[in-house]
């Protein structure tokens, strides 16, 4: 066993003259615990926000969207003509992805005294069934998934129009400069907490929207691709766009198709989320500085309290570097103790928030009704490993005070 490691293991943090060492150790440990708790909670809340907001964005939209390219701005959006062939191209590039049809139609919900403009999305046969069901607050999605007489509206729209589940509502669709009126029943009311989307998005049967839009069999207004990891979205989009272009040039497809991704269409929200990363960096730097200062203070006190031991070790032939390692290892005990306690406290608080949502939020401002918390084991391990590496590097400089101590002066020190 190495001599420096053996000595560090044999020494106790509480050894020394008076209570100065014990007080310093307690303050340093408390500083590390506080820093670790704040850093882990910050990471968990930021990760939770990103996870919840991205899930809502993907629930209302899609990770990737494929549609035909318009000849000009004025003309209507053309249809994808050979859906089966396009799906085969998508599957060849993204074999694990989920491909579904997307139909969107603007409409107006009208009561005797008021009206609201919405955009209908098709339900039944698309990739958003889980998202819709997960946000239902009243009623239920039709069991067959394609009831031609039922629609789903948000609680915001229901409140504006004074509607409840089971009520009938006149719906005006605008198709090819003509207005077509349908009478629907409110099958369910959803509330995602994402106010910007809840105000305008409603759901109608996919088959009804296809019929109103005049989409023939084998064609689609657009195709949506989901089931990707967030980190895969941009590379998948680039690969898919290249494959669609190649398929068009090789006449595998009869038309040129555009691919878009949620990061581009939801750029406003992703820019907002990127600001959270800046806040996280600032907090991590501040907490690292606080814990580093407390560790440096405890290291200096440990050295001064054991100055006679340093003189004895030097008289016995110990090198300055070996003695420095002894005290760095001794101070790392403080760090490890703080990390253990800090991890336990932080993870307990995060778990309580995940299970019971103790801290609420205003959904009008934050798009979610509670403070989300999500953390992975890799984030915890990375933070702890970084703390140990940074602390070791930070303590290297103040430990150099040992090399300036002379054995003859040390042994006369009291």
């Amino acid at each position: 066993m190495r001599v420096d490691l053996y000595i560090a293991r044999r020494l106790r943090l509480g050894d020394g003259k008076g209570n100065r060492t014990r007080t310093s150790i307690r303050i340093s440990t408390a500083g590390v615990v506080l820093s670790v708790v704040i850093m882990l909670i910050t990471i968990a809340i930021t990760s939770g926000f990103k996870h919840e907001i991205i899930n809502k964005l993907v629930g209302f939209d899609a990770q990737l969207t494929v549609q035909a390219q318009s000849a000009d701005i004025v003309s209507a959006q053309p249809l994808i003509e050979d859906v089966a062939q396009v799906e085969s191209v998508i599957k060849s590039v993204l074999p694990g992805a989920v491909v579904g049809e997307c139909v969107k139609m603007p409409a107006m919900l009208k009561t005797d005294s008021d009206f609201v403009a919405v955009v209908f999305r098709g339900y039944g046969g698309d990739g958003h069934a889980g998202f819709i069901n997960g946000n239902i607050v009243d009623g239920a999605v039709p069991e067959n998934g394609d009831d031609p007489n039922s629609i789903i509206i948000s609680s915001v729209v229901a409140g504006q129009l004074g509607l409840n589940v089971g009520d009938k509502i006149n719906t005006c669709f605008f198709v090819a400069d003509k207005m077509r009126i349908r009478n629907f029943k409110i099958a369910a009311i959803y509330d995602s907490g994402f106010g910007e989307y809840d105000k305008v998005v409603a759901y109608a049967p996919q088959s009804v929207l296809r019929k109103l839009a005049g989409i023939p069999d084998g064609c689609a207004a657009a195709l949506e691709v989901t089931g990707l990891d967030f980190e895969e979205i941009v590379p998948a989009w680039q690969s898919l766009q290249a494959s669609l272009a190649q398929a068009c040039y090789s006449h595998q497809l009869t038309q040129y198709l555009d691919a878009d991704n949620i990061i581009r269409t939801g750029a406003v929200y992703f820019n907002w989320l990127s600001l959270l990363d800046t806040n996280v960096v600032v907090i991590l730097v501040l907490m690292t500085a606080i814990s580093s200062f407390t560790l440096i203070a405890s290291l200096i006190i440990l050295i001064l309290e054991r100055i006679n031991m340093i003189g004895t070790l030097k008289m016995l032939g110990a090198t300055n570097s070996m003695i420095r390692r002894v005290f760095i290892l001794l101070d790392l005990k403080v760090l490890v103790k703080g990390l253990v306690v800090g991890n336990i406290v932080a993870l307990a608080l995060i778990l309580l928030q995940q299970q019971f949502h103790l801290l609420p939020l205003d959904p009008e401002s934050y798009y979610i009704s509670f403070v989300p918390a999500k953390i992975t084991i890799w984030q915890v391990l990375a933070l702890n490993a970084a703390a140990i590496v940074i602390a070791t590097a930070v303590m290297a400089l103040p430990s150099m005070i040992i090399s300036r101590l002379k054995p003859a002066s040390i042994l006369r020190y009291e």
Side-chain angles (χ1 to χ4, degrees), residues 147-336:
D147 186 340
N149 298 312
S150 298
I151 62 172
I152 302 169
I153 62 174
S154 70
S155 58
V156 175
V157 174
Q160 289 176 333
L161 298 178
L163 296 173
N164 296 299
V165 171
D167 291 346
K168 300 290 184 68
I169 181 70
N170 289 322
T171 307
C172 304
F173 293 92
F174 303 94
V175 183
D177 298 328
K178 296 181 181 179
M179 184 172 68
R180 303 182 65 177
I181 300 177
R182 292 288 301 267
N183 189 263
F184 288 110
K185 180 182 70 174
I186 308 299
I189 296 174
Y190 78 90
D191 185 358
S192 72
F194 214 161
E196 298 301 319
Y197 283 86
D198 286 4
K199 293 176 183 177
V200 296
V201 176
Y203 296 91
Q206 187 105 294
S207 60
V208 172
L209 296 182
R210 282 181 58 90
K211 185 176 180 181
L212 288 169
I215 301 174
D217 294 340
C219 298
L223 293 177
E224 294 182 333
V225 180
T226 57
L228 305 172
D229 291 333
F230 180 74
E231 296 77 12
E232 299 175 341
I233 292 178
V234 174
W237 166 64
Q238 294 171 339
S239 300
L240 179 58
Q241 183 64 79
S243 297
L244 290 171
Q246 181 60 36
C248 178
Y249 298 146
S250 64
H251 304 292
Q252 183 181 355
L253 297 177
T254 58
Q255 59 185 153
Y256 186 85
L257 301 176
D258 277 325
D260 209 344
N261 65 74
I262 188 67
I263 297 177
R264 282 161 52 94
T265 58
V268 173
Y269 299 101
F270 285 101
N271 289 337
W272 175 63
L273 291 176
S274 67
L275 295 177
L276 296 179
D277 293 332
T278 303
N279 295 336
V280 170
V281 171
V282 172
I283 292 173
L284 292 181
V285 171
L286 289 176
M287 292 301 101
T288 300
I290 291 172
S291 57
S292 297
F293 289 145
T294 59
L295 288 172
I296 290 173
S298 66
L299 176 63
I300 293 174
I301 292 176
L302 286 172
I303 292 173
L304 295 177
E305 291 289 355
R306 291 175 172 79
I307 197 165
N308 288 332
M309 185 191 78
I310 295 173
T312 303
L313 290 174
K314 285 194 173 187
M315 292 292 293
L316 294 174
T319 62
N320 288 324
S321 60
M322 191 206 78
I323 300 174
R324 286 173 58 192
R325 289 195 298 271
V326 169
F327 282 92
I328 290 175
L329 290 171
L330 188 61
D331 209 25
L332 283 177
K333 288 184 179 181
V334 179
L335 176 65
V336 172

Side-chain angles (χ1 to χ4, degrees), residues 120-137:
F120 275 105
R121 290 183 57 95
Y123 74 82
D126 65 1
H128 299 269
F131 176 77
I132 299 172
N133 282 291
N135 288 287
I136 297 297
V137 294

Side-chain angles (χ1 to χ4, degrees), residues 72-95:
D72 55 68
I73 299 176
V74 179
S75 61
Q77 178 66 40
L79 301 177
I80 297 175
E81 297 172 355
D82 192 347
V83 173
Q85 189 64 35
V86 176
E87 287 184 353
S88 67
V89 173
I90 297 173
K91 286 293 187 180
S92 66
V93 181
L94 308 170

Side-chain angles (χ1 to χ4, degrees), residues 308 407-414:
N308 288 332
S409 301
I410 293 173
L411 294 179
R412 291 197 301 268
Y413 174 80
E414 292 184 2

